[in-house]
Amino acid sequence: MEKMSMSIEVITPDVAREYLKCNTRNRAIRKSHVNILVSSMREGKWVLNGQPIIFDDEGALIDGQHRLEACVLSGVAIMSYVVRGVSDSRAFTTIDVGKPRGAHDMATYMSGFSYTQAKDIVAAARIIKAYEETPDKSKFEGRSFGRGQDNETLAGYAINLGPLLVECCDHVRQRFVGMAPKSTMAACCYLFSRISKDQAFEFFNMLHDGVFDSQDHPIKVLRDALLMRDRSARKSAQKQNGELMALIFKTWWAYRKGRDVKILRWRREGIAPERFPELA
């Protein structure tokens, strides 16, 4: 049985600062929204509207960070209901339903990961989940699991992929800026690592470092292709990601087999379209 309490409090900027120290699991603050609240408070338009600031039974702030941040910045004390002692872990997923919390917001709360870590693992997990749920992998098109579809389940899925996905996200973060999306690289790193973690990490190390003993080394050919890749706005994000993943998969196959590569391409259209490459 939950032992929740509710009271009306005068929240001064100093009190708001103290409450924000308990803000350990929420999404990143949206400055544009805070600025609107700051203006409302400074202009005397803020009213006691029944919307509470909420803490869970461990004292963590689970709703109200934008109002508290605005209170601090405005320098104005406000009246607000304050609810304490919410113990049902599902409560977090039902708050702010007007602007649903994304899967990365939920993953942050559910896992204890930092917001950046949660955002990275969920972005990669969207691609991994879409790949895993494609019955015929040869027809995979590089899509991500649909946004807005059962974010709580997706957050749980990302967390359940375990430490390996976190390692892969950390391994590729900031290493391929201008070459490829980190979500795609992290997803490929994870899929490859399930076959051989050592080879997968060596693969992405070589792709980043750009040091090769042959012009025909498959990873060198991939690196050159990524640096010259067409990122035209005429191509949809899904189409670009499909082509990118196909090239990475082809390179992984050649790397694993010890094969040289002269040219790296994937024909998804035309007279003889290729099937999506197998995961060697």
Side-chain angles (χ1 to χ4, degrees):
M1 185 70 179
E2 294 184 346
K3 296 182 180 179
M4 289 191 291
S5 65
M6 176 181 285
S7 60
I8 297 177
E9 297 184 14
V10 176
I11 299 177
T12 66
D14 286 341
V15 170
R17 285 190 188 91
E18 289 302 308
Y19 285 174
L20 283 169
K21 292 178 181 178
C22 303
N23 185 32
T24 58
R25 301 178 182 176
N26 265 296
R27 55 185 148 184
I29 286 179
R30 288 174 289 129
K31 292 183 179 180
S32 59
H33 183 48
V34 170
N35 290 339
I36 292 172
L37 297 180
V38 168
S39 296
S40 177
M41 292 174 185
R42 285 178 175 169
E43 293 170 10
K45 296 178 181 179
W46 185 262
V47 297
L48 183 67
N49 61 7
Q51 185 179 10
I53 291 166
I54 306 175
F55 295 87
D56 68 14
D57 58 348
E58 295 180 354
L61 177 70
I62 60 175
D63 194 44
Q65 62 171 344
H66 290 90
R67 282 164 280 156
L68 293 171
E69 182 73 14
C71 178
V72 171
L73 295 177
S74 69
V76 177
I78 62 172
M79 297 280 288
S80 178
Y81 283 93
V82 178
V83 173
R84 303 177 190 277
V86 176
S87 61
D88 192 332
S89 60
R90 295 170 298 177
F92 181 80
T93 66
T94 65
I95 295 171
D96 273 0
V97 293
K99 183 181 186 301
R101 295 177 185 269
H104 53 280
D105 298 316
M106 295 181 182
T108 303
Y109 183 80
M110 293 162 62
S111 66
F113 291 142
S114 70
Y115 184 82
T116 298
Q117 277 186 314
K119 195 170 184 178
D120 286 348
I121 68 166
V122 166
R126 287 186 186 279
I127 298 171
I128 296 166
K129 184 173 178 64
Y131 180 79
E132 293 292 282
E133 294 188 354
T134 301
D136 183 353
K137 300 295 188 289
S138 69
K139 296 181 179 179
F140 180 65
E141 297 179 349
R143 65 184 179 279
S144 296
F145 180 73
R147 296 185 181 279
Q149 297 185 29
D150 198 359
N151 284 332
E152 185 175 3
T153 298
L154 179 59
Y157 175 83
I159 293 168
N160 288 336
L161 290 178
L164 179 58
L165 179 57
V166 178
E167 283 187 68
C168 290
C169 288
D170 289 343
H171 191 66
V172 305
R173 184 180 292 119
Q174 303 300 326
R175 303 188 80 192
F176 301 103
V177 175
M179 292 176 66
K182 62 182 177 181
S183 57
T184 301
M185 303 304 261
C188 289
C189 183
Y190 175 83
L191 293 171
F192 298 169
S193 291
R194 292 194 307 188
I195 299 170
S196 171
K197 180 180 174 181
D198 288 343
Q199 285 187 318
F201 277 53
E202 182 180 58
F203 179 98
F204 285 97
N205 282 338
M206 293 178 70
L207 184 59
H208 171 261
D209 296 340
V211 178
F212 306 97
D213 56 10
S214 168
Q215 292 296 311
D216 298 331
H217 192 290
I219 300 178
K220 181 190 185 304
V221 178
L222 173 64
R223 192 173 195 276
D224 291 344
L226 293 183
L227 292 172
M228 298 176 62
R229 192 165 59 95
D230 178 12
R231 296 171 179 80
S232 169
R234 296 189 300 273
K235 293 186 179 181
S236 68
Q238 178 177 312
K239 183 175 181 180
Q240 289 191 45
N241 203 51
E243 292 177 353
L244 172 59
M245 288 189 69
L247 295 180
I248 295 172
F249 271 46
K250 275 191 166 188
T251 305
W252 170 250
W253 185 92
Y255 166 72
R256 292 259 297 161
K257 301 296 183 182
R259 305 281 180 83
D260 285 345
V261 171
K262 295 287 186 183
I263 299 175
L264 189 63
R265 64 165 64 101
W266 181 56
R267 297 185 304 274
R268 66 176 297 159
E269 298 172 343
I271 299 175
E274 294 182 71
R275 297 160 69 88
F276 195 83
E278 294 182 10
L279 185 55

